[in-house]
Amino acid sequence: MEFKERLGKEILFFDGAMGTMLQERGLQTGEIPELWNVTHEDIILDVHKLYLEAGCDIVKANTFGINPFKMEGTGYTCEELTKKGIALVKRAIAETGKKAYTALDIGSLGKLLEPLGELPFEEAYEAFKPVCIAGEQAGADLVLIETMNDTYEIKAAVLAAKENTNLPIVVTMVFDESGKLLTGADMEAAVAMLEGLRVDAIGLNCGFGPDVMKEFLPKLREVCSVPIVVNPNAGLPVVVDGKTCFHVGPEEFASIMTEIAEEGISVMGGCCGTTPAHIKALVESCKGKKPLELFDKGRSVVSSYTHAVVLNERPKIIGERINPTGKSRLKQALRENDLEYIYKEALAQQDMGAHILDVNVGLPEIDEVEMMKSVLTGLQGITDLPLQIDTSDMVAMEQGMRLYNGKPLINSVNGKKESMDAVFPLVAKYGGMVVCLTLDENGIPETAEGRIEIAKRIIAEAERYGIHKKDLLMDTLCMTISTGQENAKITLDALDYVRNTLGVHTTLGVSNVSFGLPQRELVNTAFYTIALSRGLSAGIINPNSEKMMAAYHAYCALNASDVQCADYINIYSQQADAPKKTSDKKEVTLYDAVVRGLIDSAYQAAKKELETREPLAVIDEDLIPALDKVGQGFEKKTVFLPQLLMSADAAKAGFDAIKEFLQAKGDASESKGTIVIATVKGDIHDIGKNIVKVLLENYGFDVIDLGKDVPPETVVETAKEHNVKLVGLSALMTTTVVNMETTIKMLKEELPDCKVMVGGAVLTQTYADMIGADFYSKDAMGSVRYANELFGV
C-alpha cells in the first residue's frame, strides 16, 4: 500500500537518529556523515537494519546534509551520495524482509535567504532540486524536509520537491520554547503556508524532548488539517566525559510518546539521541493505536512570515495605499525606484491598524515583474503584515506568489474562463486566498442576482482545482452611486447573500462608491458601516482616514468582536479623535528610522543631526537607544529577525554617516573592542553567527569573523594575535559540540583571561557550563549585552 494511502489512517513510525548512532561507531567530530554512504556503507546498512528490526515503518536515508554547499570539495556529487543513501535503505529493507517506506531526508542548507542573508531564494531552490530528483530516481517513497527553522527556506525545499518529483512531502520544524521559528513564524503562520503549498503532513522534530513537544500539540492540532508528525529528541543533550549524551531513556520516551499518541498524532519517531531501543519501545507501546479522524478546520487565513490573519467574525482591514491609481507621489516613487517611500506608506498603514496590505506596482512604463519582486521582498523586511499581491500581469503574479514568504492574498480572479484558467492553477500550486470579482465575459451584472450567479460559478470552478471556498474572498464590486442610484444597494444585496447564504468571505474596494461626489469620505464611511453590518469580511480602505477607522472600531465594539470594547477604549479613551497619522510626519527622526529599519532615512537623518550635534551624542542618544529598543523587542518576541536585521542595517547607515563626518574632519572613530567569532570545526551552519556579527558591529565592536568549519587552532591563533578579551563560538549540530569544547579548552590554556561566549540551537545553559563556556546566549541580543558588560560600556 502506498504511503499516502496509510497516512492519517493509522499511526506510522519513523526511525530514530542517525548522527548519534554513527558517533558511537566512530564518526569523528567534523566528519560529514553522508560520506559514510560510500566510505562505511556496511555501518549505514547496519543502522538501517537495526531500526527496521525495531519495527519502524519509515526509514530516513542518510541524506540529511547533502547539498552543494556542504559537498563542495568532497569529491562526490549530491546526486551520487543521494542515490547511494536511498539504495542503502532499499537494501536494508530487502535483506531484513521488512515492509517499510524509504524517506529522502532533506535538512537545512545552513544559510539565511535574502533579504536576511546572502542566499537568493532561487539559488536555495536550485540547491535542493538535484537532491530531490536523485532521491526519486533512486526509489524514495516520500520526501522528509526536517529540522527547519525558516519558512522561506522550507518553501524553497517544498517547491523543489513539488516541481521535480511526484513524491509525498512531509515537513517537520524546530520551534523554540515560545513556539516560534528562528525567523519569527508561529505555528499558525507556518501551517497556513504549508497547507497552502499542499504538503501531505506537518510536524515537529529536534530541539526538545517529547515532554516539551507535548505542550505544543494543542495549538498545532487546533490549526492543522493534515496529518501531524512528532519526532522528538531523547531529551536535551549533555556532555559526560567529553561525550554528548541524552538523558531520556527508551521507556520514558515511549511513555510520553504514548500520551502524545492519544492526542491523535499520525506519525511518530525520534530525532537526536534516540536509538533502535527507543523506537522499539515506542512501537510496542503505540502499535495499533489510531490517529484521530482528520477533518478540514475550515479556516480562512492568510499569513506573513510571522503570523496568520484569520477571517472571522471580526472584520479585517486591507490597506489600499500601495496602489498607484490616483496617487502621483507613489507613481513617482515607482518610476524612481524609491522603495523607502513605499515602506513608509506600509508602516503608516500598519500603525493605523491595517491587518493586510495591498501591493499594486503596475505602471505601463516600468518592469512590473521586477518591481513586484523588489517591493514584496523589501516590504517583508519592514513589516510583518500579510500582503495582498494585486496585479493583472500573470507573470508578476506568479513571481510574487513564488517569492512571498507566507500564504498571500491574491487580487484577483473573475468569472471569465480565461481568468480562472490562468489564476487558479497558480493558487493551487503556491497557495493563497484569492479575491474573486463577480464579473464575466458579459461585464458586470446590473443586478445582485447576476453577480451571485457568477459567484457560484467561480466557487464551482475553484473546487475543480482543489481550492475550497474557505480560500475565496468574493468581491461583489462596488460601483459609484454618482452613476446609478441603486449601485450601492445591488452591491450590498449580493454581498449579503454571498457571505450569509453561500458562506464565502467577502471584500470590497469601499472608496469606489463615492467616485465623482464631493466630500467623498462622508459617503465612504456610511457605506463602509452598512457593508460591515451586511457581512463585509475585509474592506479595502485607507487606514489613514480617521473617519473610516473610527467607523471600523465603533462597529467592532457594537458587534461584540471587540471583546469588552477593549480596543475602542484603548484608542479613544484619552482623546476625542483617532491617533495622529504617521504619514503626517514630514521627517523621520534617526531614532525612528533605525527602529523601523528605514536605511536611507537613517543615513539622511544622521547627517542632519551632525549639523548641530556631536557624533558621540548622536550615537549615545539616538543610535544605541534605537538598537536597544529593537533588541528588547526581539527578546520579548514582539520584533522578529527580519525586522531586527533591517534595523541593524539602518543603524549601520547611521554609523556610516558618522564615519564619513569624522573622516572629513580627520578624526577616527573609536572601537569598543575587538571580538573573534566562528562556527566551530565540522559545522557549516553560520546563520546565528552572522546575526551576532551584524549586531556586535552596530553596537561599535570590531568583529573578526573566521567563518564556518573553523579548526580550534585557528580560533586560538587569531585570538592570541589580536589579544582579544572575548571569543564567540557557534554550533548547530550535536556532532560538532565536541569541537566547541576542544576550542574552549585550548583557549583557556593559551589565553586564560579571554572569555568565551557560545550559542546555537543544540546548546543550553547546562550544556554550556559543562563544556567550560563563560557565557551562554540563547539569542543574538544576549551576546551584545554580554559584550557590553565585559567591555564596560
Side-chain angles (χ1 to χ4, degrees):
M1 188 181 296
E2 296 291 329
F3 171 73
K4 286 183 67 172
E5 294 179 65
R6 295 175 64 188
L7 181 63
K9 299 180 179 64
E10 59 183 290
I11 293 181
L12 298 174
F13 299 94
F14 268 110
D15 57 5
M18 173 60 77
T20 45
M21 291 287 287
L22 296 186
Q23 283 181 310
E24 293 180 359
R25 287 159 172 76
L27 179 72
Q28 296 300 304
T29 303
E31 272 194 273
I32 298 175
E34 293 76 19
L35 296 184
W36 278 37
N37 289 344
V38 291
T39 61
H40 297 76
E41 63 178 76
D42 55 331
I43 295 178
I44 302 297
L45 185 65
D46 181 59
V47 172
H48 289 327
K49 287 181 177 180
L50 289 173
Y51 279 122
L52 286 164
E53 295 292 348
C56 70
D57 301 298
I58 311 164
V59 179
K60 301 187 291 285
N62 185 35
T63 56
F64 173 80
I66 297 177
N67 64 65
F69 309 111
K70 191 173 181 180
M71 296 304 109
E72 185 178 1
T74 64
Y76 296 97
T77 67
C78 292
E79 290 85 350
E80 61 185 312
L81 287 173
T82 299
K83 289 180 178 180
K84 187 65 175 180
I86 298 295
L88 286 171
V89 177
K90 293 291 187 182
R91 181 178 162 191
I93 292 171
E95 292 182 6
T96 59
K98 302 291 185 180
K99 293 182 178 179
Y101 302 106
T102 303
L104 171 63
D105 192 2
I106 294 179
S108 170
L109 299 173
K111 294 177 176 288
L112 276 175
L113 275 62
E114 292 179 344
L116 306 184
E118 298 179 352
L119 184 64
F121 179 85
E122 292 299 346
E123 287 188 22
Y125 169 89
E126 291 296 331
F128 289 120
K129 179 179 175 179
V131 177
C132 293
I133 294 173
E136 184 176 48
Q137 289 176 347
D141 299 298
L142 66 142
V143 176
L144 171 65
I145 300 167
E146 67 163 336
T147 322
M148 288 287 185
N149 53 27
D150 176 9
T151 51
Y152 209 27
E153 184 179 20
I154 294 171
K155 183 171 184 176
V158 169
L159 287 176
K162 279 187 68 172
E163 294 179 353
N164 298 286
T165 80
N166 293 307
L167 298 176
I169 301 170
V170 177
V171 176
T172 57
M173 297 163 283
V174 184
F175 290 92
D176 65 18
E177 67 277 1
S178 67
K180 295 185 185 296
L181 299 181
L182 172 68
T183 48
D186 60 19
M187 289 187 187
E188 198 168 9
V191 168
M193 185 193 79
L194 290 172
E195 289 192 346
L197 289 168
R198 301 190 180 185
V199 304
D200 297 285
I202 298 170
L204 315 170
N205 83 292
C206 205
F208 297 107
D211 52 342
V212 177
M213 283 197 183
K214 182 183 174 185
E215 303 302 315
F216 290 152
L217 291 177
K219 182 62 178 179
L220 188 56
R221 285 196 302 108
E222 176 190 337
V223 300
C224 190
S225 298
V226 300
I228 293 174
V229 183
V230 179
N231 288 338
N233 289 345
L236 294 174
V238 295
V239 174
V240 179
D241 297 328
K243 181 181 177 182
T244 301
C245 302
F246 294 82
H247 68 274
V248 177
E251 285 69 33
E252 182 183 357
F253 184 84
S255 175
I256 302 173
M257 292 294 279
T258 301
E259 297 175 11
I260 288 176
E262 300 295 338
E263 299 287 331
I265 307 308
S266 296
V267 190
M268 310 173 75
C271 200
C272 299
T274 56
T275 66
H278 288 81
I279 301 305
K280 182 178 180 180
L282 169 64
V283 172
E284 290 176 350
S285 180
C286 297
K287 196 75 171 178
K289 292 184 179 295
K290 297 287 185 182
L292 295 178
E293 185 177 351
L294 295 170
F295 66 95
D296 191 334
K297 301 300 191 299
R299 294 163 58 83
S300 295
V301 57
V302 294
S303 69
S304 68
Y305 68 88
T306 64
H307 70 283
V309 170
V310 183
L311 273 65
N312 49 29
E313 292 306 310
R314 182 162 188 161
K316 301 300 183 292
I317 295 168
I318 302 173
E320 68 178 7
R321 296 297 301 167
I322 306 176
N323 187 319
T325 304
K327 302 180 185 73
S328 59
R329 179 64 184 89
L330 180 57
K331 290 179 181 178
Q332 178 188 350
L334 291 170
R335 294 188 190 105
E336 297 174 355
N337 199 36
D338 181 5
L339 298 187
E340 192 139 316
Y341 175 82
I342 298 172
Y343 300 160
K344 291 176 182 177
E345 285 289 344
L347 292 171
Q349 293 180 93
Q350 176 175 316
D351 287 346
M352 294 304 294
H355 304 103
I356 301 166
L357 299 180
D358 180 68
V359 180
N360 185 313
V361 295
L363 284 179
E365 62 268 39
I366 68 171
D367 185 336
E368 184 177 353
V369 175
E370 290 305 313
M371 182 59 72
M372 179 65 78
K373 290 160 63 175
S374 296
V375 170
L376 284 178
T377 302
L379 281 173
Q380 289 202 289
I382 291 292
T383 174
D384 69 338
L385 293 185
L387 304 178
Q388 174 173 269
I389 300 172
D390 184 357
T391 179
S392 57
D393 184 319
M394 289 299 102
V395 178
M397 181 179 288
E398 177 163 17
Q399 284 299 302
M401 295 175 74
R402 186 176 184 86
L403 295 178
Y404 182 74
N405 187 1
K407 181 182 178 185
L409 182 58
I410 307 303
N411 191 1
S412 59
V413 73
N414 59 57
K416 296 178 182 178
K417 184 178 186 304
E418 176 186 21
S419 175
M420 292 188 286
D421 288 347
V423 175
F424 283 148
L426 297 181
V427 177
K429 178 178 180 179
Y430 295 108
M433 283 195 73
V434 58
V435 173
C436 308
L437 309 180
T438 52
L439 61 85
D440 61 12
E441 287 81 359
N442 297 314
I444 301 174
E446 296 181 355
T447 65
E449 292 74 18
R451 298 181 198 183
I452 291 167
E453 286 306 310
I454 293 175
K456 290 178 178 178
R457 292 206 306 272
I458 292 173
I459 294 168
E461 184 66 11
E463 192 67 38
R464 287 185 56 245
Y465 289 90
I467 303 167
H468 305 304
K469 64 181 183 180
K470 69 178 182 180
D471 282 327
L472 304 180
L473 192 60
M474 202 66 65
D475 186 339
T476 55
L477 297 172
C478 184
M479 311 294 288
T480 178
I481 57 173
S482 66
T483 61
Q485 195 66 48
E486 295 294 310
N487 281 345
K489 183 178 184 303
I490 292 167
T491 297
L492 292 169
D493 287 346
L495 180 143
D496 193 320
Y497 188 91
V498 167
R499 180 72 195 103
N500 298 307
T501 302
L502 298 182
V504 176
H505 284 289
T506 59
T507 187
L508 289 174
V510 173
S511 62
N512 293 340
V513 74
S514 64
F515 188 78
L517 296 175
Q519 297 291 317
R520 293 182 63 189
E521 196 172 41
L522 300 176
V523 177
N524 293 345
T525 304
F527 177 73
Y528 182 43
T529 306
I530 298 170
L532 288 170
S533 70
R534 297 288 292 273
L536 179 62
S537 306
I540 304 174
I541 69 168
N542 177 8
N544 295 330
S545 166
E546 296 178 5
K547 290 184 173 62
M548 292 293 280
M549 292 306 296
Y552 171 79
H553 290 298
Y555 174 80
C556 291
L558 289 166
N559 86 333
S561 61
D562 180 3
V563 179
Q564 296 183 333
C565 305
D567 287 345
Y568 183 88
I569 292 170
N570 180 57
I571 293 169
Y572 297 107
S573 60
Q574 302 300 320
Q575 53 193 64
D577 301 312
K580 186 174 180 61
K581 297 180 286 185
T582 300
S583 57
D584 282 345
K585 298 180 181 179
K586 293 182 179 180
E587 292 184 359
V588 178
T589 66
L590 177 57
Y591 177 91
D592 286 340
V594 172
V595 169
R596 294 301 197 144
L598 298 172
I599 297 170
D600 291 343
S601 293
Y603 179 79
Q604 296 300 332
K607 290 184 68 174
K608 185 173 181 61
E609 291 298 328
L610 291 168
E611 293 175 3
T612 57
R613 297 168 64 199
E614 289 298 315
L616 187 60
V618 174
I619 292 172
D620 289 344
E621 297 170 15
D622 294 329
L623 288 172
I624 297 302
L627 280 170
D628 286 343
K629 171 75 172 177
V630 176
Q632 290 163 9
F634 182 67
E635 290 175 335
K636 295 175 182 177
K637 308 294 185 182
T638 58
V639 170
F640 304 101
L641 186 57
Q643 295 155 292
L644 179 71
L645 294 181
M646 287 297 289
S647 290
D649 284 344
K652 182 178 183 299
F655 279 111
D656 286 344
I658 292 172
K659 289 176 184 176
E660 292 171 9
F661 178 83
L662 292 171
Q663 288 169 356
K665 291 180 61 179
D667 296 337
S669 57
E670 186 176 343
S671 167
K672 290 181 179 179
T674 302
I675 302 170
V676 171
I677 63 172
T679 300
V680 299
K681 182 180 178 182
D683 204 320
I684 66 163
H685 302 87
D686 58 2
I687 292 174
K689 172 185 66 64
N690 292 344
I691 296 167
V692 169
K693 176 186 177 182
V694 169
L695 292 181
L696 286 172
E697 287 179 335
N698 278 286
Y699 272 83
F701 294 98
D702 287 332
V703 179
I704 300 173
D705 181 3
L706 298 179
K708 58 196 176 186
D709 190 18
V710 182
E713 296 80 6
T714 302
V715 176
V716 174
E717 289 169 6
T718 306
K720 288 175 66 177
E721 178 184 349
H722 296 274
N723 193 28
V724 300
K725 293 174 59 177
L726 178 61
V727 170
L729 300 175
S730 173
L732 184 69
M733 303 162 61
T734 55
T735 54
T736 60
V737 176
V738 174
N739 280 339
M740 181 178 281
E741 183 179 19
T742 301
T743 305
I744 294 172
K745 184 178 179 181
M746 290 179 64
L747 279 167
K748 295 297 183 184
E749 291 173 353
E750 298 288 333
L751 284 172
D753 293 332
C754 180
K755 301 297 183 182
V756 183
M757 62 181 180
V758 298
V762 297
L763 293 172
T764 63
Q765 184 65 61
T766 302
Y767 210 172
D769 292 341
M770 287 181 175
I771 62 177
D774 296 292
F775 179 75
Y776 160 71
S777 179
K778 65 180 180 179
D779 58 44
M781 283 306 303
S783 300
V784 171
R785 302 204 187 290
Y786 179 68
N788 277 332
E789 178 184 329
L790 182 66
F791 285 85
V793 293

